[in-house]
């Protein structure tokens, strides 16, 4: 059998592959889509999502959640379709108790922040598949669409 030689990966393909690897190794448990159902700019979408995360952690951990960064929920998220139907896909990692409460607390928090918005919450059975899905629009030139929790944000070195 003759082997077919594959073309080398482009810079964009390498970047996305590295993002997929990194998100898969994160081992998330929940896949959540945050829908706004109205036009907003990308910066406002990011601020609203970050506010959701703060309110969620306050609900799950109490008022001193800021002082307990190691107990906070963690995520990897991306903003999609910023020019048409903007929404955020997020992969969450949290304790078992937090995961159980997420389904109850998250929709109410999101509804207070985005009246017309809605959430789609699903358990993750295939981390790589979830990572592939949320990175479908990620490229070096769209890397500003990747969101990380402010309390854990560090410089990510993804080869591009």
């Amino acid at each position: 059998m003759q082997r077919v030689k594959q073309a080398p990966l482009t810079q964009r393909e390498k970047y996305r592959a590295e993002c997929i690897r990194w998100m898969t190794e994160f081992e998330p448990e929940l896949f959540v889509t945050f829908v706004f159902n109205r036009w907003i700019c990308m910066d406002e979408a990011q601020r609203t999502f970050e506010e959701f995360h703060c309110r969620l952690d306050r609900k799950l951990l109490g008022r001193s959640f800021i002082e307990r960064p190691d107990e906070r929920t963690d995520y990897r998220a991306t903003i999609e379709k910023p020019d048409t139907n903007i929404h955020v896909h997020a992969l969450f990692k949290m304790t078992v108790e937090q995961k159980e409460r997420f389904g109850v607390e998250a929709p109410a928090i999101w509804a207070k922040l985005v009246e017309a918005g809605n959430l789609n919450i699903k358990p993750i059975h295939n981390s790589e598949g979830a990572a592939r899905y949320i990175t479908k629009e990620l490229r070096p030139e769209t890397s500003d669409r990747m969101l990380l929790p402010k309390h854990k944000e560090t410089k990510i070195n993804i080869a591009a």
Side-chain angles (χ1 to χ4, degrees):
M1 186 190 309
Q2 188 178 19
R3 286 193 136 175
V4 177
K5 192 172 187 179
Q6 291 184 337
L9 294 177
T10 65
Q11 182 179 5
R12 296 173 88 192
E13 291 167 332
K14 287 178 187 176
Y15 179 83
R16 182 169 179 234
E18 187 62 18
C19 288
I20 291 167
R21 182 200 57 77
W22 176 70
M23 289 182 186
T24 301
E25 289 176 357
F26 173 60
E27 298 180 338
E29 291 115 358
L30 289 178
F31 182 108
V32 185
T33 301
F34 296 80
V35 183
F36 295 88
N37 290 322
R38 65 181 177 89
W39 188 91
I40 62 170
C41 69
M42 208 164 77
D43 288 344
E44 185 182 351
Q46 181 175 347
R47 281 191 304 274
T48 304
F49 178 75
E50 289 169 354
E51 178 63 22
F52 165 85
H53 185 239
C54 283
R55 290 183 186 194
L56 173 71
D57 282 356
R58 182 179 294 118
K59 198 72 147 160
L60 298 177
L61 298 171
R63 288 189 306 206
S64 65
F65 74 99
I66 295 277
E67 298 159 11
R68 300 161 60 189
D70 293 340
E71 297 174 50
R72 293 187 67 184
T73 58
D74 198 357
Y75 65 81
R76 305 294 181 259
T78 60
I79 295 175
E80 269 194 19
K81 311 265 187 244
D83 299 323
T84 55
N85 180 29
I86 194 167
H87 55 281
V88 175
H89 289 303
L91 307 178
F92 276 89
K93 186 174 186 173
M94 57 192 73
T95 67
V96 172
E97 180 186 332
Q98 290 170 339
K99 184 178 172 184
E100 289 171 1
R101 292 183 58 202
F102 188 95
V104 174
E105 305 293 352
I109 294 168
W110 191 246
K112 283 183 180 177
L113 289 170
V114 184
E115 279 185 33
N118 61 296
L119 292 182
N120 185 351
I121 305 168
K122 295 180 180 176
I124 294 176
H125 302 291
N126 177 343
S127 296
E128 184 178 346
R132 282 186 181 287
Y133 188 83
I134 80 164
T135 61
K136 63 185 177 287
E137 292 186 8
L138 273 186
R139 307 290 181 266
E141 61 272 15
T142 62
S143 64
D144 61 332
R145 297 183 192 178
M146 189 179 328
L147 309 177
L148 302 171
K150 294 291 182 197
H151 72 283
K152 293 195 174 190
E153 200 169 78
T154 58
K155 179 92 171 136
I156 300 170
N157 188 14
I158 295 180

